[in-house]
Amino acid sequence: MNNPVKRLIGTIMVALVSLVVYTALLLNIEQRHNNELIMSDSINKTESVRGMIEGYGRTADEIGRGFCEDENARVRLETIRLLPQVAGGEYTGERLWNGGMVVRVQGGKPEFPTGAEALVSVLSAEMITNEYVQTRTEMPAGAGTAAQEQVLVTCGKISGDWYYVRWTPASEYDDYIRSRISVENLTEAMENVNDIELLVVPSPDSAEGESESTILHATKGFAKYSALGDLGLTGEDLKKESFSLSTGDGKEYICFPIAIENLGYTALCCNSVENEKMAVIGDIIGQILFAAVMLVGLITWCFSVQWLVRREKLTEKKRERYTPAVVKRRTTRLTIMATLVVTLFGFITVMVQYMYQENRIGTNVLNMLETQLRDGGRIENELSAMGTEKYTRLGETVSEMLSEAPSLLAKDKMAEISRAVSADYMILYDENGAEIACSRDYKGFTLPTDKSDSFSDFQRLLKGVPVIIHEAEKDMITGERYSFVGIRYDIPGKEDTYGALLLAVAPSAGVSAQGTIEDQVKQQVYRRLQSKDRVIMEIDPQTKKIVLSSRDAYIGADIGALGMDEKMLRDRYMNFFFLDDEWYFGIVGKVGDNMYFYLRDSTDMSRIGLLLALVSGGLFMIAHVITAKFGFAEYNDENYERYAPQVLKTSEEYRDKIREKAPYMESFADKWTAMMPENKAKAVMQILIGILLVALILVSYSNSPLARHSVLSFVIRGNWTKGINLFSGIAVVVTFCIEYLAYLTLKMITLILVSLTDTKGETIFKLVRSFLNYAMFIGAVCVSLSFLGVDTTTLLASIGLLSLAISLGAKDIVADILAGLSIVFERNYYVGDIVRIGDFKGKVKEIGVRSTKVTGGSNEVKIISNHEIGSVINYSKQTSVCSVKLNLPVTVSIDEIRKLLEEELPKVREMNPHIVKGPNFDGIQELVDDRMIISISAEGPEEQIGSIQLDLNRVLQSMVNRGLLEHPKTNVTITMGRGSVSLGEDSITFKHNGGSDK
């Protein structure tokens, strides 16, 4: 306490050092934890992407299998067609046939047709006898191809040793798949996914990958790169499980190569590290700033106490309150409370950070699922089109075969052909729509002619329409659901006469594949997300039952049985869920017609959040204790007794001291000086929190990386589910902090404006401020209710319906508001005027929306509802008159009294400059028996009339003391506007409201 300035500077330095150490330790702990979190989140996000990519690979396999099945069907049909040309073990037809060749395998050696002998080195007997299995091999030039190329070979047995061999260029197979599964669709789908960049390159083991490292497709973030070399990568990097990548623009990624099966491509899934780092930086900055505000509040409290002891006289009560022992206990309590607040703030910050990150992961999963299902629908349509094309082509081949070889119309041959083309059955009709042949034992069926029957549509085939396709519908023969392919049949020997060939195909065979890809996509995503701490479920909003889940035990269960509410079935709903006696945090999203839940076990989240919060709180407590120890190092009993010996005995004396200073405390410094230490610390913290809040809001709405990935920005912008949850709670707190900050700002602006205007302007400004305060509070309540999920639009609309009830039940409030407006606009009185309302007289302190506050003569404040204000006497409109009456004997010479008063009364004018007129001797006012009453009056402002009366008292007392006015035998009463004056033998006593002055 010997040098407070040096001690203050030293304490600030200690606090700064403590804060730096706190920041460094907290940053180190958070960073170590964040590195684990980044890798874990990257793996989780990559697994979701992997499921999506594997879905593409699986779809490519599905399309490739369809291509191969088509090849198999062609070969089977050709073997059936060529069978009649094998007689006695010998083949009599052409060896080179319809894009293939007939090969004989004897003694384990193949015999190729003339001109194809070179195939001996390519097609072994084992390959040829392995029926209906596609083999990729190198076809030499001249052996069925113009140049050497890779082909897919398919073989089928005709009869005995004879086989039909057909080949298709492998490039045709690859192009067939790639034309239907575009990796460009994959990268486009990833554009909706947060924090992930995706690029597609040839696989390192493929021919394309060996020759070049061109980037085939990439998301927007990597669109400017054309080759792996531009990123400093090679094909060897694609063989790693994961690796880190830093781009030229300073961004960092964790990359995971994922092979896209059946396409020869590799997808590089790059998870941005910047986003997580920015989120952690925002988290740490928030905790550090909050801790800094607490330390500043501590320093303010510390030196305000010491300043008060050094500079002020205290009451005994105040002196006891600020003894070193008491201050030490209060500082200890302050440390504990501040530590608890910082710990709670840290826990909430970490939990919100976790929730924010899980929300992003869950949103990514749902976005990818939605994209996959949408793309799956496109693929399903593609597969359906492929099936239609396939069965149209095969049906035309079958129709041609049946026209060429009537012997194939036998039931067993029809059944064999039906199996070859994967049809459930087929039936042939003549030109009249009557059945000719069938692959089953169906007899006597005809094509219906009734237009109400959908099968009548096939009558058009009899008129020459080449192909008619019907999607899955109920079969008129079996009653089962089939897709039907109708092919025109050229009746042999009858030109321009047509029959009809109908192929009944199961929907799963490809003509109508709706639902198959969708189920596969869901199963793949569920499989990839299957873990003990994560759950994904699909719920039918109509039945409220779980359709699919990554946990089989939940399938078929009602959501109510799992403790879930129907209100949770909202798109992008986020909250905590209690499931299987454990808490999960999750997000709900609508994908298609159903709702999906992505849930993450919050046990580890809460445990780690609590641990980090306790560490943060412990570090802060150490910094707080060190700062307090240094700040109060010289605040001991010896120095306290040295600087605080003077004590004000009573609280009245203390109040009088403050009252003496009050008229002169106009500046901010004076008002700051008069504040108690606790209030100073509170004011400083409020100002700092307000500044930080404004800064954070401005940053949140900026386009900086910190703003884009800030949790506070996420909360302030309302990108979360409205309802009762942690995000809503934070948003409500922020809303009322903003409202309180606006209230303080408005109050400060009003004070500035009031100082620049008169009482009329003060009244108007304060009334406007009162209106705005009500409006801001109501606005904050409405916004907060909307955050909590209340439909404020409906709520405000219902106010109109409640207007009658309000007019009846709240009529006093309405009357108060209207009366307040009347007071202002009719100019009855202003703030600062002296008025009498009813039987109460005082100075108008404030005119509010609902009430008027009046300060009486003893500083008591009366609050009067505006609608209760009736007649008002405004003493400030004009000057007031002070009248003093003396009751004297009639024996006193009136001329002597006049002469005496004319000499003494001017002294009152000198003593009180507020007197506008007088004092004057008004003569004899009344004669009563042997007494006469004379009057003395003075005129001045109403607010100064009390001081004028007191000055008159002093002059009269002086006249008595000097013997100018003799003491009467009886008391002389002086009656005045605010009371009476009694002239006794030894004094003049002025009696007034609330007390007396001598």
Side-chain angles (χ1 to χ4, degrees), residues 529-577:
L529 294 177
Q530 192 169 12
S531 65
K532 64 178 182 179
D533 63 341
R534 286 189 295 175
V535 181
I536 185 168
M537 299 182 294
E538 177 186 0
I539 297 176
D540 185 344
Q542 302 298 324
T543 62
K544 310 298 185 297
K545 292 186 178 297
I546 299 174
V547 180
L548 287 175
S549 173
S550 57
R551 294 186 183 178
D552 295 338
Y554 295 159
I555 298 178
D558 189 272
I559 60 173
L562 297 178
M564 295 183 179
D565 195 334
E566 183 179 346
K567 296 179 180 179
M568 298 176 179
L569 299 179
R570 291 185 288 157
D571 190 29
R572 294 302 184 260
Y573 175 80
M574 273 188 305
N575 212 333
F576 284 92
F577 301 84

Side-chain angles (χ1 to χ4, degrees), residues 159-386:
S159 178
D161 300 331
W162 294 96
Y163 293 84
Y164 178 70
V165 179
R166 173 183 168 84
W167 60 88
T168 302
S171 59
E172 183 178 327
Y173 170 81
D174 294 337
D175 292 342
Y176 183 82
I177 296 176
R178 291 178 180 177
S179 65
R180 288 162 173 79
I181 300 294
S182 172
V183 291
E184 187 175 358
N185 293 330
L186 176 61
T187 54
E188 288 178 358
M190 293 302 298
E191 294 291 354
N192 296 325
V193 179
N194 297 318
D195 308 334
I196 295 179
E197 299 291 348
L198 192 74
L199 55 86
V200 179
V201 297
S203 296
D205 297 330
S206 68
E208 294 177 66
E210 293 172 358
S211 60
E212 58 181 347
S213 55
T214 303
I215 296 177
L216 304 177
H217 298 283
T219 48
K220 291 179 181 179
F222 281 0
K224 59 184 176 182
Y225 303 109
S226 58
L228 286 178
D230 298 338
L231 293 166
L233 302 176
T234 64
E236 291 300 317
D237 292 316
L238 301 181
K239 298 179 181 180
K240 300 177 182 178
E241 183 176 347
S242 65
F243 58 88
S244 298
L245 171 66
S246 296
T247 59
D249 52 5
K251 295 183 179 180
E252 297 181 16
Y253 299 88
I254 297 179
C255 303
F256 296 83
I258 305 172
I260 307 178
E261 301 293 340
N262 304 304
L263 289 177
Y265 297 145
T266 294
L268 196 59
C269 179
C270 303
N271 296 271
S272 173
V273 179
E274 175 193 15
N275 300 339
E276 281 79 2
K277 284 187 175 181
M278 285 297 175
V280 171
I281 290 174
D283 175 14
I284 295 176
I285 288 176
Q287 295 188 58
I288 292 171
L289 292 177
F290 193 75
V293 169
M294 291 294 180
L295 289 177
V296 172
L298 170 65
I299 294 173
T300 305
W301 151 257
C302 172
F303 285 92
S304 295
V305 168
Q306 296 181 60
W307 183 92
L308 181 67
V309 171
R310 288 174 63 94
R311 299 299 180 100
E312 291 289 332
K313 292 182 179 180
L314 304 178
T315 64
E316 187 65 36
K317 183 176 181 181
K318 291 288 191 296
R319 188 175 189 275
E320 293 175 357
R321 185 175 183 179
Y322 294 109
T323 61
V326 173
V327 168
K328 182 179 180 180
R329 288 196 299 269
R330 295 180 68 184
T331 304
T332 301
R333 289 197 298 269
L334 179 63
T335 300
I336 295 173
M337 290 178 61
T339 300
L340 291 175
V341 171
V342 169
T343 303
L344 179 62
F345 181 81
F347 178 71
I348 292 175
T349 301
V350 174
M351 287 297 293
V352 171
Q353 182 66 42
Y354 267 110
M355 292 166 59
Y356 172 63
Q357 292 180 346
E358 283 303 319
N359 171 68
R360 294 175 70 89
I361 294 174
T363 301
N364 285 345
V365 170
L366 295 179
N367 285 343
M368 283 190 287
L369 180 60
E370 183 177 14
T371 301
Q372 284 181 266
L373 293 179
R374 185 172 61 248
D375 201 54
R378 183 189 62 80
I379 294 173
E380 284 180 352
N381 294 334
E382 187 68 37
L383 290 177
S384 295
M386 288 168 53

Side-chain angles (χ1 to χ4, degrees), residues 724-745:
I724 301 177
N725 54 56
L726 191 55
F727 288 125
S728 301
I730 295 174
V732 170
V733 171
V734 171
T735 298
F736 277 99
C737 285
I738 294 173
E739 190 272 336
Y740 183 68
L741 181 63
Y743 163 77
L744 294 178
T745 304

Side-chain angles (χ1 to χ4, degrees), residues 706-924:
L706 183 61
R708 291 196 300 270
H709 309 292
S710 164
V711 178
L712 183 61
S713 175
F714 177 78
V715 173
I716 290 176
R717 296 187 183 189
N719 300 324
W720 38 271
T721 302
K722 306 302 186 290
I724 301 177
N725 54 56
L726 191 55
F727 288 125
S728 301
I730 295 174
V732 170
V733 171
V734 171
T735 298
F736 277 99
C737 285
I738 294 173
E739 190 272 336
Y740 183 68
L741 181 63
Y743 163 77
L744 294 178
T745 304
L746 183 62
K747 183 177 180 181
M748 181 179 66
I749 294 174
T750 303
L751 292 175
I752 294 174
L753 293 175
V754 165
S755 65
L756 300 176
T757 186
D758 54 11
T759 56
K760 177 181 177 182
E762 179 181 358
T763 302
I764 294 175
F765 286 136
K766 288 188 175 181
L767 182 63
V768 170
R769 187 185 73 183
S770 180
F771 268 111
L772 291 178
N773 286 340
Y774 274 99
M776 288 189 298
F777 179 78
I778 293 172
V781 170
C782 290
V783 172
S784 299
L785 289 175
S786 69
F787 287 154
L788 296 174
V790 177
D791 187 356
T792 52
T793 303
T794 304
L795 182 64
L796 292 175
S798 64
I799 292 177
L801 300 178
L802 295 175
S803 58
L804 179 60
I806 291 175
S807 64
L808 296 175
K811 59 182 180 180
D812 288 347
I813 297 176
V814 176
D816 285 337
I817 295 174
L818 294 178
L821 293 173
S822 175
I823 290 169
V824 172
F825 293 110
E826 292 182 8
R827 305 175 182 179
N828 294 329
Y829 52 83
Y830 298 121
V831 173
D833 286 358
I834 306 297
V835 298
R836 181 183 294 277
I837 301 176
D839 59 352
F840 190 82
K841 182 179 181 181
K843 184 177 182 179
V844 178
K845 180 181 180 181
E846 181 179 335
I847 302 175
V849 174
R850 292 197 54 200
S851 63
T852 295
K853 296 179 182 179
V854 182
T855 303
S858 300
N859 285 333
E860 72 275 22
V861 178
K862 184 169 185 178
I863 301 173
I864 308 171
S865 296
N866 286 338
H867 80 280
E868 294 179 353
I869 298 175
S871 60
V872 178
I873 300 175
N874 191 338
Y875 295 96
S876 298
K877 289 288 185 179
Q878 296 179 350
T879 57
S880 297
V881 177
C882 168
S883 178
V884 179
K885 295 181 180 180
L886 297 171
N887 192 334
L888 300 174
V890 295
T891 57
V892 177
S893 173
I894 193 65
D895 293 331
E896 292 181 3
I897 291 296
R898 178 184 292 109
K899 182 178 179 182
L900 179 63
L901 291 177
E902 287 177 352
E903 293 177 357
E904 296 294 330
L905 289 181
K907 297 178 181 178
V908 180
R909 185 71 176 265
E910 295 174 359
M911 295 171 60
N912 198 320
H914 299 292
I915 297 175
V916 176
K917 183 179 180 181
N920 298 318
F921 173 56
D922 299 328
I924 299 174

Side-chain angles (χ1 to χ4, degrees), residues 484-754:
F484 289 92
V485 180
I487 305 296
R488 183 182 65 192
Y489 170 63
D490 294 333
I491 297 178
K494 296 182 179 180
E495 189 176 355
D496 296 332
T497 303
Y498 309 108
L501 174 65
L502 259 64
L503 301 178
V505 183
S508 59
V511 175
S512 180
Q514 276 75 15
T516 56
I517 298 296
E518 179 177 337
D519 292 340
Q520 292 174 6
V521 167
K522 294 175 184 177
Q523 293 292 348
Q524 185 68 20
V525 173
Y526 293 165
R527 185 177 68 82
R528 278 292 171 190
L529 294 177
Q530 192 169 12
S531 65
K532 64 178 182 179
D533 63 341
R534 286 189 295 175
V535 181
I536 185 168
M537 299 182 294
E538 177 186 0
I539 297 176
D540 185 344
Q542 302 298 324
T543 62
K544 310 298 185 297
K545 292 186 178 297
I546 299 174
V547 180
L548 287 175
S549 173
S550 57
R551 294 186 183 178
D552 295 338
Y554 295 159
I555 298 178
D558 189 272
I559 60 173
L562 297 178
M564 295 183 179
D565 195 334
E566 183 179 346
K567 296 179 180 179
M568 298 176 179
L569 299 179
R570 291 185 288 157
D571 190 29
R572 294 302 184 260
Y573 175 80
M574 273 188 305
N575 212 333
F576 284 92
F577 301 84
F578 192 68
L579 194 65
D580 286 347
D581 298 327
E582 292 183 359
W583 283 100
Y584 290 81
F585 176 76
I587 180 173
V588 183
K590 184 175 183 180
V591 180
D593 295 329
N594 289 349
M595 305 301 296
Y596 290 79
F597 280 64
Y598 172 83
L599 308 178
R600 178 75 180 270
D601 188 355
S602 62
T603 304
D604 289 341
M605 182 192 310
S606 303
R607 178 177 56 81
I608 295 174
L610 181 60
L611 178 62
L612 292 176
L614 290 174
V615 170
S616 174
L619 293 175
F620 171 79
M621 184 173 68
I622 294 173
H624 202 277
V625 169
I626 292 174
T627 303
K629 284 284 186 183
F630 191 86
F632 283 112
E634 296 183 358
Y635 193 71
N636 49 44
D637 291 336
E638 179 182 353
N639 286 328
Y640 183 73
E641 293 299 330
R642 174 185 174 189
Y643 286 103
Q646 298 180 356
V647 179
L648 298 175
K649 299 301 182 183
T650 64
S651 58
E652 288 77 9
E653 187 178 355
Y654 180 76
R655 282 200 298 269
D656 290 342
K657 180 180 177 64
I658 295 300
R659 284 177 185 171
E660 289 176 9
K661 289 186 175 183
Y664 309 101
M665 292 182 358
E666 298 295 335
S667 67
F668 172 78
D670 292 331
K671 293 180 180 179
W672 174 261
T673 302
M675 292 176 64
M676 299 305 293
E678 301 91 333
N679 295 332
K680 289 181 180 178
K682 179 181 176 182
V684 168
M685 292 174 64
Q686 285 179 343
I687 292 171
L688 291 179
I689 290 176
I691 293 173
L692 290 178
L693 188 60
V694 171
L696 289 174
I697 291 173
L698 293 177
V699 171
S700 298
Y701 280 100
S702 68
N703 197 33
S704 64
L706 183 61
R708 291 196 300 270
H709 309 292
S710 164
V711 178
L712 183 61
S713 175
F714 177 78
V715 173
I716 290 176
R717 296 187 183 189
N719 300 324
W720 38 271
T721 302
K722 306 302 186 290
I724 301 177
N725 54 56
L726 191 55
F727 288 125
S728 301
I730 295 174
V732 170
V733 171
V734 171
T735 298
F736 277 99
C737 285
I738 294 173
E739 190 272 336
Y740 183 68
L741 181 63
Y743 163 77
L744 294 178
T745 304
L746 183 62
K747 183 177 180 181
M748 181 179 66
I749 294 174
T750 303
L751 292 175
I752 294 174
L753 293 175
V754 165

